Amino acid sequence: MAWDERQRAMLAEMGVRLWPPTPSGPQGAAVPVDLGQAPGPPSGKGGGEARASQPSEVVAAPGPHATGVEAMDWPGLRAAVAGCTACGLCRGRTNTVFGVGHERAHWMIVGEAPGEQEDRQGEPFVGKAGQLLDNMLRALGLSRDAQAVGGDPARQVFIVNVLKCRPPGNRNPQPEEVARCEPFLQRQVALVQPKLILAMGRFAVQSLLQSQEAIGRLRGRVHRYQGVPTVVTYHPAYLLRNPADKARGWDDLCLAREAMERAGST
Ligand code: URA
């Protein structure tokens, strides 16, 4: 894969160093990333495709809004999320955060829960973690913004969170909240029909793959959620706190891109 100036600038912004540092590397070769840190688990290259323990038969604890969610269209689903009172989080929210992007985007990004800014604006990943996410996406030639990629769904993402409401004080999502919100995420995946899901962070991974395993043990392979190839990676907020792991995050994006290419889209 060859990298142009724009992608190199984005990777630099992500804190990922390419090796060799000049564009003279072999065209079409896999991007050698200077990890520069302690060795981690093997990257996705050549990694086998694994099936999560219960990948597609995820049955949510039926909350008040679970019934019928599986048959909703986009307007119905948006209205159901906007009016949801299935868990206590509705009491502290300013806005629900449904998700953003092309409704048939090839890429689906799943994060954790809205933070303060997302709650205020009603859009996922608009804070610092969101800026890093946007840079990571740009490095792959992707965007949440249709105009930025000429309206091509293959280069667009649909960004969602496991929880649609902000947990108070940005605390971790509780299992009950995740279970109540899960039907919405399941329906979003069913409607978007992405070719690839990128699960970012512990709660996205736990919710999608129904696994309690650490991210470090789940990354580097392609899992499946509702039959969709699913790649696990670190949450951008974690990468901001642990920049040494950005190179691993980049490895995960490369694996996702490879999986997407295998799925017939670039
Ligand atoms: N972190 C998330 O997981 N989602 C957001 O929308 C913002 C921060």
Side-chain angles (χ1 to χ4, degrees):
M1 194 182 294
W3 300 95
D4 61 25
E5 282 307 309
R6 182 181 54 82
Q7 286 169 320
R8 285 172 176 277
M10 289 304 155
L11 292 172
E13 231 173 302
M14 262 186 76
V16 172
R17 286 169 291 147
L18 295 178
W19 186 92
T22 62
S24 56
Q27 295 272 317
V31 186
V33 175
D34 176 6
L35 290 174
Q37 289 99 33
S43 83
K45 294 186 180 48
E49 188 155 326
R51 206 161 252 282
S53 47
Q54 299 164 9
S56 51
E57 274 78 46
V58 181
V59 179
H65 293 275
T67 311
V69 169
E70 67 282 356
M72 284 177 179
D73 60 8
W74 280 112
L77 189 62
R78 285 179 191 277
V81 168
C84 184
T85 57
C87 76
L89 294 182
C90 58
R91 288 194 287 276
R93 76 184 176 215
T94 309
N95 290 294
T96 53
V97 179
F98 181 80
V100 70
H102 193 290
E103 290 179 354
R104 292 303 302 276
H106 289 200
W107 295 73
M108 191 148 178
I109 313 293
V110 181
E112 177 180 317
E116 189 180 356
Q117 293 185 57
E118 289 79 16
D119 173 68
R120 210 179 298 132
Q121 297 184 37
E123 180 168 333
F125 282 105
V126 291
K128 280 206 171 112
Q131 285 167 19
L132 177 58
L133 173 61
D134 285 339
N135 287 341
M136 293 162 75
L137 295 175
R138 260 197 297 275
L140 289 178
L142 307 175
S143 177
R144 69 172 87 190
D145 173 12
Q147 277 192 335
V149 290
D152 180 1
R155 295 178 58 202
Q156 285 178 71
V157 296
F158 195 88
I159 305 175
V160 291
N161 283 313
V162 170
L163 294 190
K164 311 305 185 208
C165 297
R166 180 194 180 205
N170 294 336
R171 66 155 168 73
N172 287 339
Q174 302 296 300
E176 170 74 6
E177 294 157 359
V178 172
R180 295 274 169 159
C181 234
E182 212 157 37
F184 295 137
L185 178 58
Q186 290 173 345
R187 188 63 189 150
Q188 287 176 310
V189 173
L191 287 170
V192 174
Q193 295 176 35
K195 291 183 185 293
L196 186 120
I197 296 172
L198 192 59
M200 303 192 108
R202 178 156 61 103
F203 292 96
V205 169
Q206 285 178 358
S207 175
L208 293 175
L209 302 185
Q210 298 288 288
S211 169
Q212 300 299 314
E213 288 235 59
I215 289 187
R217 296 181 63 86
L218 291 169
R219 51 183 291 279
R221 303 177 269 156
V222 180
H223 304 264
R224 295 247 167 201
Y225 177 74
Q226 292 184 5
V228 182
T230 300
V231 170
V232 165
T233 191
Y234 299 108
H235 192 284
Y238 167 88
L239 293 178
L240 287 173
R241 292 191 307 271
N242 300 275
D245 275 335
K246 281 183 177 175
R248 291 196 181 115
W250 180 243
D251 278 349
D252 298 335
L253 295 187
C254 291
L255 173 63
R257 195 184 166 105
E258 287 169 17
M260 179 61 95
E261 283 167 3
R262 281 200 296 274
S265 176
T266 52

